[in-house]
Structure formats: C-alpha cells, structure tokens
Amino acid sequence: MAWIERSTRDAIALFTDRTGGVSAAPYDSANVGFNTDDDPPSLAENRRIARGFFKGPKAWVHAEQVHGADVVYVGEGLDPARELYSVGPADGIVTARRDLSPAIFTADCAPIALSAQGVVAGVHAGWRGLSYGVIERALETLRSVADKAVIAGSGKVDPGVSAIIGPCIHPCCYEFPQDQIEIIAEKFESRVEGRTSTGRPSLDIPGAVRAALKRAGVSAIDDLDVCTSCDKDYFSHRRDGPVTGRQVMLVALSAGDVTE
C-alpha cells in the first residue's frame, strides 16, 4: 500500500491508494471500503495495514457517506479502544478529540481534510455534496468548535482554516451534462467547467472544491492534484464501474498532540 502524507499547522492527513493490500479482484488490492462486497478478513487486513502507516490515532470514526451535506460533530462518548465507529448517514465529520481519526472513503469523490485551532474535519465531496453545501456546512461546524475552544480560555487567536484536497477525479475524465455544470458554476460564481481528454464538457471537481473553500474564506489550500481515473494506482468508480474498492483519507490533530 502506497500513501501520501500531508500536514498543516494543526493536523496530519494520510491518503492511501489501491496497491499493496490483500484483496482479490475486482477489489485488488488495498480496498478499505465499507460499502463493498469484499471479503471481510481482507478488508480488516487492509485497514490494519493503513493504520500502521498513519501517525495519528488508530481508532477510526466514519460516516455512511450519502452524497449529502450533513456534518456530524464527534465529542464525548466514544471509547478510543475500539478501532471503528460509525456516526450514521453524513458526509462530514468534525472533532476536537485527540484520540480519534475521521476517515473518509472515496473512489472519485474528493476527500478533504480541514483543520483550525485544534479542531479537524474530514469531508466527502462529490458533485451532489458540493451542490448541497457540504463544504460550507463542515467549515461552519469546525469554526464554531474552534471559536468555543478560544472562548474557553486558550487565549489564542484563530490562525484560520487549512485545507488539503486529496486524490479525486479530474475534468479530463469526468464528462458531465452541460446544464448541470452551469447550475454548479452559478452556485460558486466560478468556472468549474472543463474538457475531457476527448473534448467533451466535464465538471472540474477539484476546481469546485477550491472555489467553495475560497468563497468560504479559506486561503491555505494544499491540492494533491491526483486524478483517480487517470492514475490506475487508485480506485475509480467512473473508470472501473460500480464494482470497485475504496481508498481512505485519515485526518487527525498533529502527531505531537495526539494519543493512540
């Protein structure tokens, strides 16, 4: 399993790919996704491998990603001795806990790590979630939690939000209806239309994510600039069809601040 690590002032994030696991085709080989028919022991082993790479907490908290805009704040009540928690249907997870890692699973949608003032968030954003405002909702929740931490007595000035955009499908591979592109472009007041490698109209998912972040006041944006459809080391629903695996993004407070 290969991986990409990134860090911000407050957080660390890890993005896996599809290589180096134990799953058989069509989930070969490092599938970690929940909504697949992969062999459960293989899934468990792949997740064990991913945990070994990550410098943050080994307890994952995940959502039943439904391409919506619901965001869940995870506070007290979860035992970090467990390895997996589900928070139900949602597409964003926010937490200030130092012993949990939000986990976002993708196969073309954009995984986004957000952080500010000792608070982190993991966001799952496809075209529907972008249209419904999942990024804005996640930022609103994250900022609210960060502000409360300052008011509670830290005495620090909020340094602002940092964002990391992980591997996702790019416009070269994402043909999309022109009328729907125009609706999304109008929402963000930004050009989100691209062209596929064959010249067809396409939606620029990472461009739309950047537009949403900037519109919400986020300027510190790190884009990994990896197309999941072009790069065969990643799972891609658009390229491979509906029967495929998922890679994972894990995000947590910076290594010096977390406990495992």
Side-chain angles (χ1 to χ4, degrees):
M1 184 182 293
W3 69 96
I4 300 174
E5 292 181 323
R6 284 290 193 273
S7 62
T8 68
R9 187 176 186 274
D10 300 280
I12 54 173
L14 179 137
F15 303 83
T16 68
D17 67 7
R18 71 180 297 164
T19 65
V22 300
S23 293
Y27 304 111
D28 48 326
S29 63
N31 174 38
V32 291
F34 288 91
N35 295 325
T36 66
D37 292 325
D38 197 359
D39 178 50
S42 296
L43 280 168
E45 175 62 12
N46 290 336
R47 292 172 191 145
R48 185 196 67 79
I49 294 170
R51 284 190 180 89
F53 291 140
F54 192 43
K55 297 174 184 177
K58 307 307 180 186
W60 297 4
V61 54
H62 70 95
E64 298 170 17
Q65 299 167 183
V66 293
H67 300 277
D70 285 344
V71 174
V72 174
Y73 171 67
V74 179
E76 301 301 320
L78 298 184
D79 180 0
R82 289 181 54 186
E83 292 187 338
L84 292 171
Y85 295 93
S86 172
V87 294
D91 287 272
I93 302 167
V94 177
T95 189
R97 288 186 56 161
R98 302 173 182 273
D99 52 5
L100 297 175
S101 298
I104 300 296
F105 300 88
T106 59
D108 279 335
C109 292
I112 306 156
L114 303 173
S115 61
Q117 193 67 40
V119 186
V120 295
V123 182
H124 167 258
W127 74 266
R128 290 184 179 86
L130 286 165
S131 298
Y132 298 150
V134 66
I135 289 176
E136 294 89 338
R137 187 79 61 83
L139 286 167
E140 180 182 356
T141 304
L142 181 139
R143 283 169 166 149
S144 174
V145 177
D147 287 345
K148 288 177 182 177
V150 173
I151 293 171
S154 70
K156 297 179 181 178
V157 177
D158 187 350
V161 178
S162 297
I164 306 170
I165 306 172
C168 60
I169 197 166
H170 281 44
C172 54
C173 299
Y174 198 36
E175 184 175 343
F176 212 76
Q178 182 67 46
D179 58 340
Q180 295 186 39
I181 293 173
E182 292 171 359
I183 293 171
I184 297 172
E186 182 178 0
K187 172 180 173 59
F188 295 119
E189 300 177 354
S190 175
R191 182 175 177 81
V192 296
E193 179 182 356
R195 291 285 167 177
T196 68
S197 56
T198 59
R200 302 289 295 171
S202 65
L203 179 63
D204 186 346
I205 288 286
V209 171
R210 289 191 299 271
L213 290 168
K214 291 177 180 178
R215 186 178 180 186
V218 179
S219 59
I221 302 172
D222 180 5
D223 186 348
L224 272 59
D225 195 25
V226 174
C227 176
T228 48
S229 183
C230 285
D231 191 333
K232 293 186 178 180
D233 282 345
Y234 289 87
F235 294 108
S236 169
H237 184 277
R238 177 58 66 103
R239 183 192 65 225
D240 300 331
V243 182
T244 191
R246 303 290 187 274
Q247 45 262 346
V248 66
M249 177 194 78
L250 301 169
V251 60
L253 294 175
S254 297
D257 295 329
V258 301
T259 56
E260 298 184 4

